[in-house]
Each structure stands twice: as structure tokens, then as C-alpha cells.
Amino acid sequence: MITVKNLVKSYPKRGSKERLKAVDNASFEVRDGEIFALLGPNGAGKTTTIKSICGLIVPDSGDIRIKGYDVLKERKKALEQISAVLEGNRNLYWRMTPIENMKYFCGIRGKTLKRTEALRILETLGLYEKKDELVHKLSRGMQQKAAIAVCLAAGTDILLLDEPTLGLDVNSAVEFRSLLKNLQVQGKTILLSTHDMGLVEAVADRVAIMNNAKIVVCEEKRKLIDLFTARGYKVVIESNGSTEEKLARLGFTEWNKDGNAIELHLNLSSSKELYEIMEKFRVNQIEVESIEKELVNFEKIFISYTNGSAKS
């Protein structure tokens, strides 16, 4: 549905002849009917990538296709296939109501939106009671929902959502997860850019993580979680006074202490590494009370890849 190949975009560096690469040779694809999450810290290149897909930024090089249409050469056809909610407050006209915004933006696309369909979308998002209230009077969370309503009103198969849960309270954010899964069941393909790791863990099928303008990993979410679960161990050892000194001598720098128990969290590249650590503990007379595999949340996976500690 979306193919990004060897995307490069750079900007002039202030006060210098050098250019700063915002996106460096990024490649990925979004498959039909999936929820694909594009993640990365601030400045990683996510927004530049999303805006390039939307035709708002012209890349230096690379190829972007939406349903086979080249975004640069067949711009109109390509952009007819998608609707988007971009981060910030520029998705709506503030002096119009949610339903007026929906009709207006559909009109720009050459589509007539029936009032009954608009009301159905607003009801789905919990905005029915706010249908005739000016957008600038709505809360930040309600404004975000109204922007999503405009996106859904376009009726496209592909949705691009940049930080869609920004400004939503906890209950609304949880409801939004169900909404995304329902849209997927209806056949929608969703490209999601977010910092909400709970949302990624709940709904994403595949994940690409960007760091320093590059794609550092692109994989099925389940495989990433399984991989890190296999590597993560919690080891509880007995503290007898000299244990902490021995651990420091072996190169361990972080642990949790609770009474006479010390808890180590290990992220290992293989089970062989665990055996080697256990042998060091035996030689140094460090008594192990328990070892168990550690459940991993997606936030830990994200941090591992963006700080460079993850190993493929």
C-alpha cells in the first residue's frame, strides 16, 4: 500500500555550508490491512518521512509510492489514496464546528459527505454532543478527535496518523486503541507515528524504529517482543556483605536491593552468555536464589534500539 525506498532528505545547516540529513536512506513498506508503527525519538526523521509521504516535502532522492502511484510524478492520484492527521493544530479550521470541518475537507477532495455519515463518525469518536460547537472551544483532546473525524470522513483505504493520541486523556487513549483495531477490521491500512508505546504494543502489527535519520530496525512487533523476552532475565542473588563489591568487580553497575536480596536485570545476546555469568558467580561464591525470564514492554525495546544497545 505504501512503499518508501532509499528516501533521503537534508537541510542546510545554519551558519555552515554543510547539510544536515533529516532522513538517511530510509526504506520500508506498509502492507495491505496492517497497522504499521513508525517510531523514533524527537529529531529522528519521522515527521520528515511522514510529510514526504503526504507530498508536503520533496525529498532529495528516493522513491515513494502509494498503491503503486509515484508521489512525485503522480501526485494527485497518489494523494487521493490517503488521508492524514498531522501532529499539531493545523488539521482543522477553529472557527468551524467538527461537522463543518468534515464537510469542508471532504468538499476539497471532491466528495459530498452525508450528514448521517458524519454523525455516525462523530458518535464513534464520542464527539456527537460536540458536533455543532466551534473547534476552538473544544479541549485539546476533543480537537484531536475532531481531526481524526475529518480523516475518517475522507473514506480512504489508507490512514496516516501522526501522534493521534496526543492530548487525549487515559480513557480516550484506551478507547482509541479499540477504534484503530475496528478500522483495521473494516479493511483500513494505518501508518501510525507515535510516542505512545502502550498504543504500539496494543495495536501495531509491524514496527520501524528510526534513530539519527536511519531505520535501525523494521520487524513484526511480535518477533521483537519475543526476541527481547528471550534475552531478558531477572536474577536474584543473596547479599552477604561483600556481594556488592564482588558484583562491581565483575563489571555490574546497576542492581536493586531489597533487604538481603539483590535483583539484577540482564539483557543478554544468548543463553550461552547467561551460563558464563553463572560460572563467574560460582567462582566468586555469589549465591543465586532464582533466575527467571523477564516480561518485556515495548518501551524497553524502543530504548534499546535508540540508545544503540540492541543487537540484531
Side-chain angles (χ1 to χ4, degrees), residues 128-152:
Y128 184 86
E129 299 300 324
K130 304 292 184 180
K131 62 183 182 296
D132 296 318
E133 191 162 332
L134 295 180
V135 165
H136 76 88
K137 293 183 178 180
L138 299 178
S139 67
R140 180 69 185 89
M142 288 290 185
Q143 290 169 3
Q144 189 72 346
K145 284 185 176 182
I148 293 167
V150 169
C151 185
L152 295 178

Side-chain angles (χ1 to χ4, degrees), residues 5-115:
K5 188 174 181 180
N6 304 128
L7 183 67
V8 175
K9 180 63 181 179
S10 61
Y11 297 99
K13 198 171 183 179
R14 186 175 296 177
S16 170
K17 293 183 178 180
E18 295 179 32
R19 294 183 69 85
L20 180 67
K21 278 194 176 178
V23 181
D24 187 3
N25 204 40
S27 297
F28 62 89
E29 64 178 17
V30 182
R31 299 167 186 163
D32 187 10
E34 76 174 351
I35 298 177
F36 183 95
L38 180 63
L39 311 179
N42 290 333
K46 303 186 308 299
T47 298
T48 298
T49 301
I50 292 289
K51 287 185 175 180
S52 296
I53 294 171
C54 292
L56 298 174
I57 289 177
V58 178
D60 299 337
S61 61
D63 185 67
I64 304 172
R65 294 180 183 270
I66 302 173
K67 279 192 171 183
Y69 296 109
D70 188 308
V71 171
L72 293 179
K73 298 177 181 177
E74 303 167 283
R75 177 186 171 87
K76 185 175 184 296
K77 278 286 187 182
L79 299 185
E80 283 176 351
Q81 314 304 317
I82 63 172
S83 51
V85 174
L86 301 180
E87 183 183 359
N89 298 321
R90 299 182 180 181
N91 299 288
L92 302 165
Y93 282 104
W94 283 31
R95 295 193 176 277
M96 294 167 65
T97 67
I99 199 165
E100 287 171 344
N101 269 282
M102 294 168 75
K103 289 183 176 180
Y104 174 76
F105 283 104
C106 279
I108 287 177
R109 301 179 72 117
K111 176 185 175 183
T112 301
L113 179 67
K114 293 181 179 178
R115 183 175 175 82

Side-chain angles (χ1 to χ4, degrees), residues 232-239 260-266 274 277-278 281 286-294:
Y233 295 89
K234 181 174 74 174
V235 179
V236 179
I237 59 182
E238 183 181 322
S239 176
N260 291 325
I262 293 176
E263 193 175 276
L264 289 172
H265 296 273
L266 307 177
L274 178 63
I277 291 172
M278 291 303 104
F281 285 176
I286 298 174
E287 187 170 339
V288 177
E289 293 186 354
S290 65
I291 304 173
E292 61 183 77
K293 279 189 175 180
E294 196 165 33

Side-chain angles (χ1 to χ4, degrees), residues 146-294:
I148 293 167
V150 169
C151 185
L152 295 178
T156 60
D157 293 332
I158 306 172
L159 309 180
L160 274 66
L161 305 179
D162 188 14
E163 296 293 352
T165 57
L166 188 68
L168 300 186
D169 58 36
V170 174
N171 288 337
S172 297
V174 171
E175 289 172 8
F176 187 71
R177 298 176 190 179
S178 298
L179 172 64
L180 288 185
K181 295 302 287 186
N182 288 336
L183 290 172
Q184 184 181 32
V185 169
Q186 295 170 27
K188 301 292 186 183
T189 299
I190 300 170
L191 172 56
L192 178 69
S193 174
T194 183
H195 285 93
D196 185 346
M197 294 300 132
L199 178 64
V200 174
E201 195 159 358
V203 306
D205 297 305
R206 289 192 306 126
V207 176
I209 298 177
M210 294 191 77
N211 195 37
N212 296 323
K214 294 179 178 288
I215 300 285
V216 293
V217 65
C218 184
E219 186 55 273
E220 291 180 19
K221 177 195 67 182
R222 186 72 261 163
K223 287 184 179 179
L224 284 175
I225 291 175
D226 289 346
L227 175 63
F228 274 76
T229 300
R231 291 176 174 178
Y233 295 89
K234 181 174 74 174
V235 179
V236 179
I237 59 182
E238 183 181 322
S239 176
N240 58 16
S242 62
T243 306
E244 292 179 47
E245 183 182 336
K246 292 176 181 177
L247 288 173
R249 201 163 55 238
L250 290 172
F252 294 96
T253 57
E254 295 182 8
W255 57 77
N256 300 322
K257 188 173 182 180
D258 184 9
N260 291 325
I262 293 176
E263 193 175 276
L264 289 172
H265 296 273
L266 307 177
N267 186 24
L268 309 178
S269 58
S270 67
S271 56
K272 179 183 177 183
E273 193 174 348
L274 178 63
Y275 297 141
E276 292 171 351
I277 291 172
M278 291 303 104
E279 177 61 18
K280 290 178 182 178
F281 285 176
R282 186 191 68 78
V283 171
N284 287 272
Q285 297 182 327
I286 298 174
E287 187 170 339
V288 177
E289 293 186 354
S290 65
I291 304 173
E292 61 183 77
K293 279 189 175 180
E294 196 165 33

